[in-house]
Amino acid sequence: MAEPMKMRATVSGDVADVKVLMNHPMETGLRKDAKTGQLIPAHFINEVTATLNGKPVLAAQWGGGISKNPYLGFKVKGAKAGDKVVVSWKDNKGESNTAEATIS
Amino acid sequence: MNALRRNVLKSAGMASVVAMAATAGLLKSGSAFAAWNATAFDAKSVPDALKGMGAATPVESKNISIKAPDIAENGAVVPVEVTSSIAGTTGIAIFAEKNATPLIASFTMSNGAEGYVSTRIKMGQTAMVRAVVTAGGKTYTAAKEVKVTIGGCGG
């Protein structure tokens, strides 16, 4: 169901730069099916969390206004190469996915 | 033709409200994360959304920079980068002022995360992209206009 996420974490100085690409349709619930004219039900990621070595660094709440196959970039100070970053998301249908990357 | 289109739009709007209400109900049960702020995300205007977040009157600030294209050809994918140089930034929220539901995302930083987020958003039409930053219990704001040639909300 949930396809794997792409994730990359690099460090410059002591600031980690984390980039994540998620696979998700991000349906707002406002869009109509072109063929049937029926509304496509809302299906979007609404919660994203990130941890660095197990400590929470970023918690996000999203609406349907984030583009399809969302991209997220964030920076964390006090990180070093070898640290582990974990990003998880959860959508409005209760599906979820997690990816982890080691900072290089 | 045109009248039909109006009708369809109207009914689409109403159906979505019901759908969103259903979603909100679903979310309340069994969410391991902090509760999703349905009030703020379903709000139809920026002031209402801000109220829903508990940040009613943010102060304009020059220490927030929004990087977004001046003209976005495709409203479905508008890259937006928000950097806050305000010390102690703990939250960034992104709004597209003329979207049906303006609040797009709200981020909370902790444990050394910097006041920076980069993402891609949908925009229904030309509008101001507004960032609202929370730092030390106060809220600050900045905005940048993005012209949209093809809207990215609805189909």
Side-chain angles (χ1 to χ4, degrees), chain B residues 117-143:
Chain B
V117 281
S118 165
T119 187
R120 299 189 297 219
I121 69 169
K122 291 177 201 164
M123 290 182 70
Q125 54 181 295
T126 298
M128 301 295 276
V129 171
R130 182 167 291 280
V132 174
V133 169
T134 314
K138 286 186 179 160
T139 47
Y140 304 89
T141 184

Side-chain angles (χ1 to χ4, degrees), chain B residues 50-145:
Chain B
L50 281 173
K51 232 180 266 169
M53 292 171 65
T57 45
V59 187
E60 290 285 336
S61 169
K62 286 198 172 72
N63 296 323
I64 305 167
S65 90
I66 302 173
K67 212 168 114 190
D70 294 331
I71 297 172
E73 273 183 31
N74 183 357
V77 186
V78 183
V80 175
E81 221 180 275
V82 179
T83 311
S84 157
S85 49
I86 301 166
T89 297
T90 51
I92 294 179
I94 302 173
F95 298 82
E97 290 196 342
K98 285 192 184 156
N99 277 15
T101 50
L103 179 56
I104 288 179
S106 96
F107 299 88
T108 312
M109 288 82 180
S110 53
N111 292 322
E114 298 206 321
Y116 163 91
V117 281
S118 165
T119 187
R120 299 189 297 219
I121 69 169
K122 291 177 201 164
M123 290 182 70
Q125 54 181 295
T126 298
M128 301 295 276
V129 171
R130 182 167 291 280
V132 174
V133 169
T134 314
K138 286 186 179 160
T139 47
Y140 304 89
T141 184
K144 178 188 191 306
E145 189 182 36

Side-chain angles (χ1 to χ4, degrees), chain A residues 24 26 43-48 60-64 89-95, chain B residues 23 27 31 33-34 36-37 41 106:
Chain A
H24 203 280
M26 297 301 284
H43 187 200
F44 56 86
I45 295 175
N46 51 28
E47 284 162 342
V48 183
Q61 297 193 355
W62 286 2
W89 60 255
K90 198 171 158 190
D91 69 21
N92 64 333
K93 289 186 178 172
E95 288 169 24
Chain B
T23 324
L27 281 159
S31 169
F33 295 93
W36 191 66
N37 195 339
F41 277 99
S106 96

Side-chain angles (χ1 to χ4, degrees), chain A residues 1-13:
Chain A
M1 196 66 134
E3 290 177 51
M5 296 147 76
K6 280 185 191 151
M7 202 169 150
R8 195 159 61 190
T10 51
V11 71
S12 71

Side-chain angles (χ1 to χ4, degrees), chain A residues 69-86:
Chain A
N69 296 335
Y71 165 76
L72 171 66
F74 60 94
K75 289 176 180 168
V76 188
K77 213 175 158 62
K80 57 186 185 306
D83 284 358
K84 205 167 78 173
V85 185
V86 178

